[in-house]
Amino acid sequence: MATIEDVARLAGLSRTTVSRVINDQPYVTEEKKEKIMDAMQQLGYVPNSSARRLRSQRTETIAVLLPRVTNPFFGHLIESMERKASEYGYQVIVCQTHDKKQKELDYLQLLKTKQVDGVVMASLTNDWDVIEPYLESGPIVLCNEYMDSDQVSMIHIDHRQASYDATAHLIEQGCTRIAYATGAQETHITRQRKEGFLQALTDFNLAFDENLEIRNALDVKDGQGVFSFLQEQEEKVDGIFTGSDEVAAGIIYAASQSGFTIPEDLAIIGFDNQMISLLMVPAITTVRQPVEEMAMKTIQVLVEKIKKEQPEDEQQIVYNYELIKRKSTERMSMKESASS
Amino acid sequence: MATIEDVARLAGLSRTTVSRVINDQPYVTEEKKEKIMDAMQQLGYVPNSSARRLRSQRTETIAVLLPRVTNPFFGHLIESMERKASEYGYQVIVCQTHDKKQKELDYLQLLKTKQVDGVVMASLTNDWDVIEPYLESGPIVLCNEYMDSDQVSMIHIDHRQASYDATAHLIEQGCTRIAYATGAQETHITRQRKEGFLQALTDFNLAFDENLEIRNALDVKDGQGVFSFLQEQEEKVDGIFTGSDEVAAGIIYAASQSGFTIPEDLAIIGFDNQMISLLMVPAITTVRQPVEEMAMKTIQVLVEKIKKEQPEDEQQIVYNYELIKRKSTERMSMKESASS
DNA sequence: TTGTAAGCGTTATCAG
DNA sequence: CTGATAACGCTTACAA
């Protein structure tokens, strides 16, 4: 591999001057500049990024922590983040935590060891006091996660309110015994959603049977399991709030094989407005999050923090969500609003 | 940030000895080792990876080039690759080419500038002679792509045969006028698939109407467009081969809204055995690729190449696929095999 | 078993 | 406008 030294020698100039050309700095005569360009061409010279990193203390790389890419919500998130980061000239490292605390910390280590300039946490399972020390090594921005701290910027929707609205909608459709399926470990987001869910029940004078809370429901397969669980219940469950369209789809799939009628026998609500929620028969009522905007904003905020010397005020940016009502909750008994 | 120098000073030893401890090398007394460990602890020392990279000429990072993460096939691919790479201690950089030649080359630049030790190409739109020179900078392994060259290892299924089988299946189900929808630009894979498709038609004495070839069909939305296109045809099309379950799902979705009956009016075949192919009504006949195995094998081969000094023989590893027959091609007229 | 010293390839400072 | 020279933080012969 040719180095800057080789180029300098071939061009009959110093490393400094070559460096100036590489970095588009002023104070180099056109003539010498051309000479250097020629030399670089001839040698097929490319600056070594490890050396640049060491010297400049910047990596132009961002780590994005998320549970798993195969969850379409996070797939979309990282797709947009990578695109945006790429525009800013940043690389993106995928860090799948699989909701494991240890994995999360391992990846945060990238910040400490200066392998990345900043971190996006779209997965947050550790307690804040464990995460906080990492802030010394570089900026962290939360996306789709919330933390009761004024030391980080956060980009998210109001999950509490969204799940309140969704639950209220189920109730308005005549559901009285509603189950609650949640994904993964308890994170702040899931706590918020649960709160909204419970609040809606309370406001409508309904009780929540703790036995109807299902944990670790993540994908279609889990959804099928959830359906079996619901079917086993002695007292009939007539509605379910799921934290994911995939789980909702799994329930519908299993239900249709058991001759169950959705939404008459069971009204179902999903989350995230994935393609699948539109394609299922019946189509799934869901909550749309502006994923792309959130992703791009997150990168923007992070990159700004990386570039600024003096720490700015942390921002908490709350995006609007939208409850999209579809057939999976449109119960005959109450002929209400519809579709899309 | 504490450096190795600081640790050495605090422990009253040399940088060399500290380095030995960091890298678990022998020839350090327990006593001194502990002293050093203590010092590292006290200072919160973490080795700076940029410096290590520069010195050791290795980055422990891999770039994975793919069209887009939101295509579930590639989502699964990168999910498995990241997991496997992480086991080997490697980071993964996501590189979405969006099927753009220039983007592909930009990302290959990561290899030249030594930002990554190796590259996985699961997206390959440039001609080989453009890619080849990059091999000088480090190993490249193709995954789900094929190239007529003995200079790279490739991991893939036999797309030609798979698409032959799929097409033959359509024909056996009584289809005689079959459309062909393909994704993105022309890559070697798409060429192979097209060949298999045409061969099957030929073998069964059917002609292919070039007007029935649809390009750039990538997702559900495109699938809806494909349906409109088919509907406009004067001569009725009774079968379609799509290169993607998403496109197939889009066609079914649009068809169901137009009162079309699948598969009686139109038999549809997808590709990749995504969850959606099972969930659609009717369920979609598709070709399963062993994504996870392919992903893990790819990383294994690449990491081995990175670690070996002397170049090994390039491997071409062909995995088995499986044609999964479901309702979307089960035509009454021919009461044949079924489901899953 | 430990330490010295020479880089790895860049960039920034400062003097010319 | 250009060029020495000194870092950046770490590893590794080689010497002791």
Side-chain angles (χ1 to χ4, degrees), chain B residues 106-225:
Chain B
D106 290 350
Y107 283 122
L108 276 173
Q109 200 67 9
L110 293 174
L111 197 56
K112 264 200 171 171
T113 58
K114 304 289 178 211
Q115 296 200 61
V116 300
D117 294 336
V119 170
V120 169
M121 296 188 77
S123 161
L124 178 50
T125 52
N126 283 280
D127 291 329
W128 183 242
D129 53 344
V130 184
I131 307 286
E132 199 186 323
Y134 288 91
L135 274 174
E136 281 178 26
S137 312
I140 297 177
V141 173
L142 305 188
C143 180
N144 193 44
E145 284 293 345
Y146 172 86
M147 187 49 71
D148 199 7
S149 155
D150 53 1
Q151 297 174 73
V152 279
S153 288
M154 308 176 245
I155 285 86
H156 56 82
I157 63 165
D158 184 341
H159 284 268
R160 193 177 182 290
Q161 190 62 44
S163 101
Y164 181 96
D165 290 358
T167 309
H169 171 67
L170 279 176
I171 299 171
E172 283 160 3
Q173 293 295 311
C175 299
T176 56
R177 189 164 157 76
I178 304 175
Y180 185 81
T182 183
Q185 319 304 332
E186 183 155 313
T187 71
H188 294 257
I189 289 295
T190 62
R191 262 196 288 279
Q192 299 255 319
R193 285 195 191 169
K194 179 87 179 288
E195 270 179 42
F197 172 76
L198 291 176
Q199 188 63 52
L201 291 186
T202 305
D203 287 0
F204 285 86
N205 293 312
L206 288 178
F208 178 51
D209 180 350
E210 295 285 349
N211 296 317
L212 294 184
E213 170 156 359
I214 300 135
R215 295 193 171 237
N216 288 310
L218 289 169
D219 55 24
V220 172
K221 197 159 185 154
D222 298 331
Q224 296 176 253

Side-chain angles (χ1 to χ4, degrees), chain A residues 49-55 57-59 113-115, chain B residues 47-56 58:
Chain A
S49 71
S50 299
R52 292 185 116 167
R53 285 177 179 220
L54 175 57
R55 183 59 232 228
Q57 308 281 34
R58 286 181 304 95
T59 67
T113 59
K114 305 288 177 210
Q115 296 199 62
Chain B
N48 176 308
S49 72
S50 299
R52 292 184 113 167
R53 285 177 178 220
L54 176 57
R55 180 61 227 228
S56 62
R58 286 182 302 95

Side-chain angles (χ1 to χ4, degrees), chain A residues 46 49 53-54 69-70 76 79 82-83 86 92-94 96 98 103 107 113 115 253 276 278-279, chain B residues 46 49 53-54 69-70 76 79 82-83 86 92-94 96 98 103 107 113 115 253 276 278-279:
Chain A
V46 187
S49 71
R53 285 177 179 220
L54 175 57
V69 184
T70 41
H76 283 278
E79 126 91 23
E82 196 273 339
R83 263 212 336 262
S86 169
V92 168
I93 293 184
V94 216
Q96 300 185 112
H98 295 282
K103 266 276 178 188
Y107 283 121
T113 59
Q115 296 199 62
Y253 180 70
I276 186 96
L278 178 64
L279 295 175
Chain B
V46 187
S49 72
R53 285 177 178 220
L54 176 57
V69 185
T70 41
H76 282 279
E79 126 90 24
E82 196 274 338
R83 263 212 336 261
S86 168
V92 168
I93 293 184
V94 216
Q96 300 184 113
H98 295 281
K103 266 276 179 189
Y107 283 122
T113 58
Q115 296 200 61
Y253 179 71
I276 187 96
L278 179 63
L279 295 174

Side-chain angles (χ1 to χ4, degrees), chain A residues 35-51:
Chain A
K35 232 184 201 160
I36 290 175
M37 297 286 238
D38 280 354
M40 299 204 294
Q41 191 89 56
Q42 253 185 71
L43 297 167
Y45 168 78
V46 187
N48 177 308
S49 71
S50 299

